[in-house]
Amino acid sequence: MLIDAHTHISAPQIIADRARLVERDDHFRALYADPRARLATADSLIMSLTAAGVDAAVTFGFAFRSLDLCRLCNDYTLACAKAYCGRLVPLAVTNPTTADGLREASRCLAAGARGLGELMPAGQGYGLDDRGLDALLDLAREAAVPVLVHVNEPLGHHYPGKGPHGPVEALRLIERHPDNDIILAHWGGGLCFYELMPEVRAVCRRVYYDTAASTYLYDDAIYANALGWAPGRVLWGTDYPLIAPHRALTRVRALALMPSAEADLLGRNVASLFGLKETV
């Protein structure tokens, strides 16, 4: 079973209103002011998955500052997940610093969301030490669902959307919430490397790393290295529509990983985390 662990979909209303939203939300503008930056509907995602032979995808909308816009994204994501009968695993976006941020998360979990995220702390105006985020993690722990958090590597080149929250801030969050399943996007901003330190590895026992946008960030040797010490906690994700599933899949398969390691990376790990069946 092949599962993409990190994809974005946008409601048709979001795509149609792109020009206005670029002016309204600073983080959305940073990523999508350039007309070449793609937005994609669920239909487009499903077509891309099918063309690549990928069975399912974890998917979510854009984490806007505005809770009303988050709600629009969530309603679309949840409706599409139902329409595609298991091929889409829906997460819910929210802004935990808004008055009704927790209520929106609770609403979505009751409506079928399988987790929360991708949260965008810098883009939504809070830090990884924010009390609102702590309350959201508590909610997720009680509901036994994972939370996907956007983090970035503190070194290297700049790119649109690169934020200030990296492995140091992520580790502090994890230390405060050791009983949560936390997915750190983009290899956790490099936190995965620090798991070579026994004390860090012990704290990160319930931390997962997705590979979203890996092509633009790291040499492909990162796969074999990270799988060496966290074989059950690396999740193949494309960051679609930034990278098409067939392109990312071809690149991973060219690494010639051991068959068991490749199967874990490309689906078994995320299926285990979300309790997904082997068929969709």
Side-chain angles (χ1 to χ4, degrees):
M1 186 176 185
L2 302 182
I3 307 171
D4 188 336
H6 187 127
T7 67
H8 299 264
I9 55 174
S10 297
Q13 302 98 302
I14 296 291
I15 297 174
D17 209 19
R18 176 174 179 159
R20 187 179 69 86
L21 294 175
V22 161
E23 297 302 321
R24 179 176 174 182
D25 187 287
D26 290 344
H27 195 63
F28 190 80
R29 178 167 61 251
L31 293 174
Y32 296 110
D34 186 339
R36 295 172 297 179
R38 290 187 60 206
L39 293 169
T41 63
D43 293 342
S44 296
L45 171 59
I46 289 293
M47 286 190 290
S48 293
L49 296 175
T50 300
V54 176
D55 299 293
V58 177
T59 197
F60 35 86
F62 189 82
F64 288 97
R65 283 203 181 204
S66 162
L67 195 62
D68 288 340
L69 289 173
C70 287
R71 188 176 294 112
L72 172 61
C73 292
N74 293 334
D75 287 345
Y76 177 71
T77 301
L78 291 167
C80 291
K82 290 180 181 178
Y84 280 107
C85 303
R87 293 200 69 188
L88 299 179
V89 181
L91 302 190
V93 292
T94 190
N95 187 335
T97 65
T98 60
D100 290 328
L102 280 177
R103 184 177 302 174
E104 173 61 11
S106 296
R107 179 188 77 89
C108 292
L109 292 175
R114 303 296 296 271
L116 303 175
E118 180 187 12
L119 303 179
M120 294 278 186
Q124 294 182 298
Y126 59 91
L128 293 185
D129 57 353
D130 192 281
R131 291 184 179 181
L133 182 57
D134 285 334
L136 190 70
L137 267 289
D138 290 342
L139 173 67
R141 186 192 68 249
E142 293 168 5
V145 298
V147 178
L148 170 60
V149 182
H150 181 92
V151 290
N152 290 112
E153 64 291 345
L155 304 177
H157 62 284
H158 177 76
Y159 48 85
K162 184 169 183 173
H165 304 120
V168 173
E169 296 80 6
L171 186 61
R172 288 202 297 261
L173 177 69
I174 294 157
E175 288 172 334
R176 295 199 307 275
H177 298 278
D179 297 321
N180 278 80
D181 290 321
I182 299 175
I183 306 168
L184 297 180
H186 317 296
W187 296 103
L191 180 61
C192 56
F193 297 114
Y194 290 93
E195 286 208 27
L196 290 171
M197 303 172 71
E199 64 270 31
V200 174
R201 187 164 60 249
V203 172
C204 293
R205 59 189 176 83
R206 299 187 68 161
V207 174
Y208 296 79
Y209 304 98
D210 82 30
T211 72
S214 187
T215 300
Y216 295 116
L217 302 174
Y218 295 102
D219 186 286
D220 285 344
I222 191 173
Y223 286 92
N225 280 283
L227 287 167
W229 56 81
R233 296 186 286 111
V234 180
L235 315 176
W236 174 68
T238 62
D239 217 357
Y240 176 89
L242 179 64
I243 300 175
H246 73 85
R247 177 185 167 198
L249 190 60
T250 298
R251 192 153 183 156
V252 167
R253 285 179 164 160
L255 300 175
L257 299 171
M258 294 294 292
S260 180
E262 182 179 284
D264 287 344
L265 169 67
L266 293 179
R268 283 201 303 229
N269 288 345
V270 70
S272 176
L273 175 60
F274 284 96
L276 304 178
K277 297 179 181 180
E278 287 299 313
T279 56
V280 295

